[in-house]
Amino acid sequence: MVTGYCVKCKEKGVELSAPGIYQTAKGGFMAKGKHEKCGTTVCAMMSKDNAEKAMKDGATKEY
Ligand SMILES: [Zn+2]
């Protein structure tokens, strides 16, 4: 499962629903998904290892 910070709820560690994994211009990785509770898009920076792990767990590769 992928978690991030929801700016709307001001809540840490919210679970992203149907997360997608993106690569940033600098070569880093980030996950983008929706906070189930409020529908806001939540982003989370990730290491390469965590990005690969998330994709194994069912996150969509978007790069
Ligand atoms: Zn939220």
Side-chain angles (χ1 to χ4, degrees):
M1 118 180 174
V2 182
T3 58
Y5 177 73
C6 179
V7 290
K8 192 175 176 190
C9 303
K10 296 191 169 72
E11 200 179 316
K12 274 186 207 163
V14 301
E15 188 174 349
L16 278 62
S17 73
I21 307 298
Y22 297 82
Q23 199 162 20
T24 67
K26 287 180 179 172
F29 291 86
M30 62 183 285
K32 223 192 267 182
K34 276 199 161 106
H35 185 200
E36 195 90 38
K37 203 163 80 180
C38 68
T40 299
T41 300
V42 178
C43 296
M45 299 305 293
M46 303 186 111
S47 66
K48 188 169 187 280
D49 283 354
N50 280 342
E52 280 169 0
K53 202 167 151 247
M55 286 185 279
K56 264 186 203 160
D57 289 345
T60 313
K61 184 177 179 175
E62 303 278 10
Y63 60 92

